[in-house]
Amino acid sequence: LEDATGADASRLFLEQMIEHHQGAIAMAEQVKANSADPEVTQMADQIIAAQQAEIATMQQMLTD
């Protein structure tokens, strides 16, 4: 990414951010599976929803 420019840089950035967001979803799902605290579970649900929405946006940007 550091050496990329223009459309290549944008594509690489989006691909890496999608992976980053997928990691956040995996962590939030792990927290949900292991937490008995309803506030923590609610926060994990919010994180999952937000990250999924951002992934969908970035995937759309890649196809445009």
Side-chain angles (χ1 to χ4, degrees), residues 12-63:
L12 288 169
F13 174 77
L14 290 170
E15 290 171 350
Q16 290 175 16
M17 286 304 294
I18 289 169
E19 286 184 39
H20 176 73
H21 282 46
Q22 289 169 335
I25 291 170
M27 285 187 275
E29 287 173 344
Q30 201 168 31
V31 166
K32 282 181 58 172
N34 295 303
S35 178
D37 186 327
E39 289 182 34
V40 171
T41 301
Q42 181 182 16
M43 178 186 247
D45 284 334
Q46 292 170 346
I47 290 168
I48 291 167
Q51 298 297 295
Q52 288 173 332
E54 290 180 14
I55 288 171
T57 299
M58 289 184 284
Q59 288 173 330
Q60 184 61 46
M61 292 171 76
L62 284 170
T63 61

